[in-house]
Amino acid sequence: MCMTTRDTAMTHPHIRAFLFDLDGVITDTAEFHYLAWKKLAAEEGIPFSRGEADAMRGLSRRDSLRVLLNGRPVAEETAQSWMLRKNDYYLQMLEQLTPDSLLPGVRRLLSEARDAGIHLAVASASRNAHLVLDRLGVLPLFDAVGDGHSVVNPKPAPDLFLWTAGRLNANPRQAVIFEDARAGVDAALAGGFWVVGIGSAVTSERAHIHVSDLSDVTVTSIVRGLTVLSD
Ligand code: G6P
Ligand code: MG
């Protein structure tokens, strides 16, 4: 794993909370979202590529459809039925999900953070977040879950992170967000949070720390990385 930190000066962090995005951070359901949209797009004859799927990361179901349509007008009734159909495909794929579907390092990092007294939450735009966490068997590990039902304004607005951090009694400067999506990194920065960007869809210029995945990330490496920024 390669870890890079952004070169800016900031105040010394006292970290009380970790907030995890779900799809693409805790488990690889970002791939299922992609495959479900791809199936719908193929059936409707709409061009759809991995690049567009990356742009959909972190976006609400409605905003993802907007990306897919790329300006093509559709009636509201059609939009509703397409979102429902995509979700049906996605739900079918979720049946494959088991506790083995956690991404590398996630279970270890969660238990290490808990032992260090850090409060844990999931903050995901997905309306299926509880179902996914339940299938992964990790729902009891989190003190709070913010999902696609929690706030009105989706990412890149900071509302979901602020709402979820509030459930943990943490202010943004005491909380680290783990995100694989541009919209999520932007939301975290807009809320004044520390951000760990994960994977190739986000850049190290935007996130305070950037990692390829969570396999080698520890509580110490995060706090150390943020302290370097505070010097
Ligand atoms: C996550 C994913 C997005 C997805 C959104 C809504 O944030 O990154 O790709 O569109 O959740 O998911 P849902 O399960 O409600 O359709
Ligand atoms: Mg994500």
Side-chain angles (χ1 to χ4, degrees):
M1 183 204 64
C2 158
M3 181 184 274
T4 51
T5 52
R6 210 175 64 176
D7 184 23
T8 49
M10 303 199 127
T11 49
H12 187 79
H14 171 61
I15 302 305
R16 299 189 60 229
F18 280 0
L19 276 65
F20 294 85
D21 173 51
L22 175 63
D23 300 310
V25 170
I26 286 183
T27 187
D28 199 14
T29 35
E31 184 66 12
F32 291 168
H33 281 295
Y34 163 67
L35 292 172
W37 282 119
K38 195 174 135 185
K39 185 166 159 61
L40 177 83
E43 287 165 357
E44 297 299 334
I46 301 170
F48 183 57
S49 69
R50 284 242 172 224
E52 280 149 334
D54 267 355
M56 282 182 178
R57 274 176 197 257
L59 300 185
S60 66
R61 202 177 300 171
R62 164 68 72 169
D63 287 339
S64 299
L65 178 64
R66 220 165 266 141
V67 171
L68 179 74
L69 291 174
N70 192 22
R72 280 179 200 80
V74 293
E76 178 56 21
E77 206 179 309
T78 308
Q80 290 294 342
S81 84
W82 285 5
M83 286 190 285
L84 213 62
R85 217 159 93 212
K86 179 267 171 178
N87 197 51
D88 282 344
Y89 299 150
Y90 180 67
L91 290 176
Q92 282 165 27
M93 293 175 200
L94 288 188
E95 284 171 23
Q96 307 163 38
L97 224 55
T98 72
D100 288 339
S101 314
L102 284 174
L103 282 169
V106 171
R107 188 180 293 282
R108 178 198 42 75
L109 180 59
L110 289 175
S111 94
E112 201 188 293
R114 180 163 286 286
D115 290 348
I118 292 173
H119 300 291
L120 301 173
V122 164
S124 163
S126 175
R127 295 182 171 206
N128 296 300
H130 278 85
L131 173 64
V132 171
L133 291 168
D134 192 39
R135 289 204 65 93
L136 294 169
V138 291
L139 201 44
L141 301 183
F142 293 100
D143 304 300
V145 176
D147 67 10
H149 300 282
S150 303
V151 296
V152 173
N153 297 319
K155 302 171 189 178
D159 303 31
L160 181 67
F161 290 137
L162 292 169
W163 184 92
T164 309
R167 310 287 284 202
L168 302 179
N169 284 321
N171 70 47
R173 270 298 173 237
Q174 299 171 322
V176 182
I177 310 283
F178 294 81
E179 257 295 350
D180 71 318
R182 252 169 286 163
V185 170
D186 288 348
L189 292 174
F193 292 90
W194 297 102
V195 197
V196 176
I198 302 169
S200 55
V202 295
T203 60
S204 46
E205 287 78 47
R206 298 286 286 156
H208 296 105
I209 294 173
H210 185 265
V211 294
S212 48
D213 58 52
L214 291 177
S215 53
D216 292 333
V217 172
T218 63
V219 172
T220 310
S221 70
I222 295 298
V223 173
R224 197 173 285 153
L226 298 179
T227 305
V228 168
L229 296 174
S230 323
D231 287 344

